C-alpha cells in the first residue's frame, strides 16, 4: 500500500465513516414469543391484526409453556404490539393466574425451548399484588434488531391487563400492501362485498389445490417471504395437507349468512368471525380453520391480506 493510500484509509477511519450492518435475513432469523400462561387467556395483536384466531384468545385453565413463531406478523420498520391478558374468573383448584412472556429472535432452525435464551428484546410478567387489579410489567432486554419504544401498561375495570408498545424490526421483511388502503366503513354494501369475497375464496378452496394456490397467491407469497422460503415450499408445508386426498380433509359447506364482519388492522382489514373457511376430517374428527382477512383496493376490489 502506498503512503497516499494509507493516508486516505486513515483519514476515512478517523473521519468516523459509519458502517451500517445489514438487516437480519428472514431465512436465517426467527422472531417469536416465549409464553408461560396459567389460568388466563392472551389476545395479541401486531399492527392490530390478531396473532391468534379472532374471538379465540390463547390460553388454558391449567399451564401452557410454548413458543409462538411471529415472522409473518411483522414488517421491516415500526410495528405496534398490543397484549391483553384476561385472568380466569374461576380458576381450577391448584392453578392461580400467572403469566410471563419474552419477545426475541433466534437463528432459524435453532431449537425453540421457551425461556432458554438469555437475550431478548422485552420481557413481560404479571403483577397481581396491586389493589387496583392485575398489571403487566415490562423489562427491556438487550437484544439488538428489535428496538422497543412507547411502552404503555394499564389495568381495566373488567379485570383485564394490557400492555402496548412499538417494536422497530431490523429485518428484511416485506411490507404489508394492505396498510396503504383506506379505513373501511362497515356499510351494508361493504358487508355484502366482504361476504362475496369469502364466498369466492371458499369456492376456490373447494375446487382443489390448483385454484386454492391461485386465489391465495398474494397471501402465500408474503407469508413465504417472511420466513425466507419459496411460495411452493410454504404451501406444501402449511396448506397442502388440507387438499391431499390421503389426509381426509373436506371443506365444510359455506353458510353465506354465518359469521359477523369485524374490522382489524386499524380499520383497513375485515374478517368474518368465526371464519367460514373450515375443513373437517370425518375419520379423525380433526377440524382446521383457515383465518384470512380481506381489504379493499383503490379500485374497490376485495383482496386477500398480503
Amino acid at each position: 500500500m502506498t503512503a497516499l493510500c494509507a493516508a486516505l484509509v486513515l483519514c476515512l477511519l478517523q473521519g468516523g465513516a459509519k458502517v451500517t450492518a445489514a438487516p437480519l435475513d428472514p431465512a436465517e432469523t426467527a422472531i417469536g414469543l416465549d409464553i408461560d400462561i396459567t389460568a388466563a387467556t392472551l389476545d395479541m395483536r401486531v399492527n392490530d391484526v390478531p396473532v391468534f384466531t379472532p374471538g379465540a384468545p390463547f390460553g388454558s385453565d391449567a399451564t401452557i409453556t410454548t413458543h409462538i413463531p411471529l415472522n409473518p406478523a411483522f414488517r421491516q420498520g415500526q410495528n405496534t404490539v398490543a397484549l391483553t391478558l384476561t385472568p380466569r374468573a374461576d380458576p381450577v383448584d391448584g392453578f392461580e393466574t400467572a403469566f410471563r412472556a419474552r419477545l426475541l429472535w433466534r437463528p432459524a432452525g435453532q431449537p425453540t425451548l421457551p425461556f432458554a435464551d438469555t437475550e431478548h428484546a422485552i420481557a413481560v410478567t404479571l403483577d397481581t399484588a396491586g389493589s387496583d387489579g392485575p398489571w403487566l410489567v415490562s423489562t427491556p432486554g438487550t437484544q439488538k434488531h428489535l428496538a422497543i419504544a412507547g411502552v404503555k401498561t394499564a389495568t381495566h375495570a373488567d379485570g383485564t391487563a394490557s400492555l402496548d408498545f412499538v417494536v422497530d424490526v431490523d429485518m428484511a421483511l416485506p411490507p404489508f400492501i394492505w396498510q396503504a388502503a383506506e379505513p373501511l366503513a362497515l356499510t351494508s354494501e361493504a358487508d355484502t362485498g366482504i361476504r362475496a369475497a369469502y364466498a369466492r375464496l371458499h369456492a376456490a378452496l373447494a375446487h382443489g389445490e390448483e385454484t386454492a394456490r391461485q386465489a391465495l397467491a398474494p397471501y402465500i407469497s408474503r407469508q413465504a417471504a417472511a420466513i425466507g422460503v419459496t411460495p411452493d415450499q410454504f404451501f406444501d408445508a402449511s396448506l397442502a395437507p388440507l387438499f391431499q386426498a390421503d389426509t381426509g380433509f373436506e371443506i365444510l359447506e359455506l353458510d353465506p349468512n354465518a359469521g359477523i364482519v369485524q374490522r382489524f388492522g386499524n380499520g383497513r382489514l375485515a374478517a368474518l368471525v368465526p371464519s367460514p373457511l373450515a375443513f373437517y376430517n370425518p375419520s379423525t374428527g380433526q377440524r382446521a380453520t383457515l383465518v384470512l382477512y380481506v381489504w379493499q383496493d383503490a379500485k374497490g376490489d376485495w383482496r386477500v391480506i398480503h
Side-chain angles (χ1 to χ4, degrees):
M1 180 182 291
T2 67
L4 178 59
C5 289
L8 287 172
V9 171
L10 180 61
C11 181
L12 286 172
L13 291 174
Q14 290 179 340
K18 185 177 180 181
V19 179
T20 303
L24 295 173
D25 183 348
E28 300 175 355
T29 315
I31 301 174
L33 189 76
D34 290 344
I35 298 180
D36 185 29
I37 186 170
T38 303
T41 58
L42 175 70
D43 178 77
M44 178 179 184
R45 300 191 182 194
V46 179
N47 300 315
D48 194 37
V49 181
V51 169
F52 309 111
T53 302
F58 177 84
S60 171
D61 288 328
T63 299
I64 298 177
T65 303
T66 190
H67 177 80
I68 307 296
L70 289 176
N71 273 29
F74 290 99
R75 65 174 186 177
Q76 185 172 8
Q78 291 194 340
N79 300 260
T80 61
V81 176
L83 305 177
T84 302
L85 189 79
T86 304
R88 295 292 193 193
D90 298 305
V92 176
D93 289 345
F95 293 97
E96 295 185 1
T97 297
F99 176 77
R100 60 176 177 144
R102 297 193 313 174
L103 181 68
L104 72 163
W105 61 267
R106 296 183 174 99
Q110 188 179 91
T112 53
L113 184 63
F115 302 98
D117 304 79
T118 56
E119 281 197 309
H120 55 272
I122 186 172
V124 183
T125 56
L126 178 67
D127 180 5
T128 59
S131 60
D132 52 353
W135 287 88
L136 289 174
V137 180
S138 67
T139 305
T142 59
Q143 195 171 46
K144 297 179 180 180
H145 301 287
L146 297 177
I148 307 298
V151 179
K152 298 179 181 179
T153 186
T155 185
H156 306 279
D158 61 0
T160 61
S162 64
L163 183 80
D164 302 321
F165 58 91
V166 175
V167 55
D168 196 330
V169 178
D170 183 25
M171 184 188 295
L173 292 167
F176 290 115
I177 305 303
W178 62 263
Q179 288 188 319
E182 293 295 323
L184 298 169
L186 290 187
T187 62
S188 59
E189 181 181 1
D191 187 282
T192 299
I194 292 163
R195 292 182 185 277
Y198 271 89
R200 289 192 294 272
L201 286 171
H202 186 276
L205 299 179
H207 198 67
E209 180 176 329
E210 183 177 348
T211 54
R213 286 179 183 268
Q214 294 171 356
L216 301 180
Y219 166 79
I220 292 169
S221 294
R222 205 277 168 189
Q223 296 291 98
I227 57 176
V229 300
T230 68
D232 283 345
Q233 287 172 326
F234 175 81
F235 187 92
D236 291 344
S238 60
L239 298 175
L242 296 175
F243 304 98
Q244 294 167 346
D246 58 350
T247 61
F249 279 99
E250 303 170 355
I251 191 167
L252 297 178
E253 185 177 348
L254 176 71
D255 181 348
N257 299 313
I260 299 172
V261 173
Q262 294 185 14
R263 290 184 299 176
F264 300 95
N266 298 307
R268 291 172 170 81
L269 295 173
L272 280 175
V273 180
S275 173
L277 308 177
F279 295 78
Y280 180 69
N281 188 322
S283 299
T284 64
Q286 289 178 295
R287 184 184 178 98
T289 301
L290 187 54
V291 178
L292 294 172
Y293 303 86
V294 296
W295 58 281
Q296 193 170 36
D297 66 16
K299 297 180 180 179
D301 295 328
W302 292 97
R303 307 183 66 182
V304 69
I305 183 172
H306 66 287

